[in-house]
Amino acid sequence: MKRKKRIINPALPTTKKKVKKSSVPTPMEYVQLFNNCVIKKEKIAAVDKIIDEKVTVNRPRYESISNLVRLGTNAPSAAGNKNLFASVYTPFFDRYNTTPLSLNPTAANAKPESVLDIMTKPQMTTGLLGANFFDTGRFTPNDPFSFMNLFGGGGAIPWYFIACVHYMECSFSFKKHLHNGDPLTGYTVQVPANRPKVGHGPPFTFEESAVDAIKLMKYDKVTNWSLPFILQKLEGYNGFGYNKKGIHTPYLWSFSNQYVKGKYVKDGVFDAEAVSQQMGAAVILKRMEDRALISIPRN
């Protein structure tokens, strides 16, 4: 009787599954890109001009929008527009009075208050740093020098984020919808269409349309406006397609060492040799930090 040959199937070669890399940078990657960003010397003057003539001068308007969103208040319509552009910003050197350290006349052997004494009094009325140093009225969520903005993300939408969206979508024009740059004389036509929903027809004010755009994106629900979150949302306005091409998006990094060339010249058409002539939003923020105009929390 013949023995049957044992047929041993050769082991199939093992193949490692390729892990598909996300097209969205990680928070750490955003922080590293920003921290290592160097603005090209020949572009610094142009960036400063935009900051001085378009961004900081309109800070009160951006802050008013942030406050309207935070308070859940409707912006005035074009028919009954009121001046809501009063800034909550107080110049840094005007925030504290210069009252000398006070003496307590009723205490025996009275001595001037020490800095340690002052810092341990949350609701002090006199002293080196002035009245109610820890009062939240002095340190607003949009205040670049506040504890909230220096050491952690605040709940209020940073005015400089609204400014960057205004730049990217409207080229700083206050006659356009913050949603997509369509004119305020009518509803939006591009995506998102038929906005804003404010209870009346056109024309619209920039403020009421901006509040609608922010709420539509659910930015009013955000509680931590960290640097990675801000950069991700700004990049998301124009999509993450550049990362798939292996380059950093010019919408954030143009005019800096983080971008050289490559641009979508129209929808779906990428030109590897084209160079963006528009400064990146992250470059504006970087220059503002370099000039100590803002301080963005990293986490």
Side-chain angles (χ1 to χ4, degrees):
M1 186 175 177
K2 282 186 177 181
R3 286 186 178 181
K4 289 183 179 179
K5 287 184 178 180
R6 291 178 64 190
I7 300 173
I8 301 174
N9 292 325
L12 295 174
T14 57
T15 56
K16 290 184 179 180
K17 284 187 178 180
K18 289 184 178 179
V19 179
K20 193 174 181 181
K21 187 180 178 183
S22 171
S23 61
V24 182
T26 65
M28 182 60 70
E29 287 172 335
Y30 274 126
V31 171
Q32 289 176 342
L33 283 169
F34 191 85
N35 289 345
N36 296 327
C37 175
V38 178
I39 302 171
K40 295 175 181 177
K41 288 183 179 179
E42 67 273 17
K43 299 294 186 182
I44 290 177
V47 178
D48 282 341
K49 183 178 175 67
I50 287 292
I51 291 172
D52 294 336
E53 297 181 5
K54 299 293 185 180
V55 179
T56 56
V57 294
N58 289 315
R59 175 174 178 165
R61 297 193 74 167
Y62 300 135
E63 286 183 335
S64 74
I65 293 166
S66 177
N67 290 333
L68 287 168
V69 172
R70 180 166 54 92
L71 298 173
T73 308
N74 292 328
S77 66
N81 194 8
K82 297 179 182 178
N83 183 12
L84 290 181
F85 309 145
S87 175
V88 299
Y89 175 68
T90 304
F92 183 67
F93 293 106
D94 293 339
R95 292 176 194 172
Y96 320 115
N97 66 41
T98 55
T99 305
L101 296 177
S102 61
L103 296 174
N104 184 350
T106 61
N109 302 320
K111 296 180 180 179
E113 291 179 288
S114 69
V115 173
L116 180 61
D117 292 333
I118 293 169
M119 295 300 287
T120 55
K121 288 185 178 181
Q123 295 297 329
M124 67 182 223
T125 55
T126 59
L128 177 66
L129 299 178
N132 295 326
F133 175 73
F134 294 99
D135 183 2
T136 55
R138 285 181 175 270
F139 290 100
T140 66
N142 291 326
D143 187 344
F145 295 100
S146 70
F147 293 126
M148 184 180 295
N149 273 350
L150 286 174
F151 302 112
I157 302 170
W159 68 271
Y160 45 82
F161 173 78
I162 300 173
C164 285
V165 175
H166 190 209
Y167 166 59
M168 297 172 73
E169 294 298 316
C170 310
S171 299
F172 290 118
S173 171
F174 285 98
K175 296 180 179 180
K176 297 179 180 180
H177 288 288
L178 193 66
H179 307 72
N180 53 24
D182 286 343
L184 290 170
T185 51
Y187 288 103
T188 57
V189 177
Q190 304 176 76
V191 177
N194 300 314
R195 306 297 302 194
K197 306 291 187 184
V198 292
H200 67 83
F204 306 101
T205 65
F206 177 77
E207 281 68 28
E208 64 184 339
S209 179
V211 169
D212 180 81
I214 288 168
K215 289 185 175 180
L216 181 65
M217 298 297 289
K218 300 190 184 305
Y219 290 152
D220 56 323
K221 308 298 182 186
V222 177
T223 58
N224 185 1
W225 286 92
S226 64
L227 175 67
F229 180 84
I230 288 173
L231 295 182
Q232 183 192 83
K233 293 306 175 186
L234 290 176
E235 183 170 358
Y237 265 87
N238 287 283
F240 298 94
Y242 283 97
N243 294 297
K244 296 176 182 177
K245 299 291 183 181
I247 65 174
H248 301 134
T249 175
Y251 289 102
L252 289 183
W253 307 109
S254 181
F255 286 24
S256 80
N257 62 326
Q258 304 291 19
Y259 170 78
V260 179
K261 61 181 180 178
K263 187 179 187 302
Y264 281 95
V265 291
K266 57 183 179 180
D267 288 346
V269 180
F270 180 78
D271 185 342
E273 298 301 318
V275 179
S276 174
Q277 300 303 314
Q278 182 184 33
M279 74 181 66
V283 167
I284 295 175
L285 295 175
K286 177 68 174 181
R287 182 60 179 165
M288 290 176 73
E289 269 212 346
D290 289 345
R291 292 174 55 184
L293 296 173
I294 59 173
S295 178
I296 310 175
R298 297 306 194 254
N299 53 47

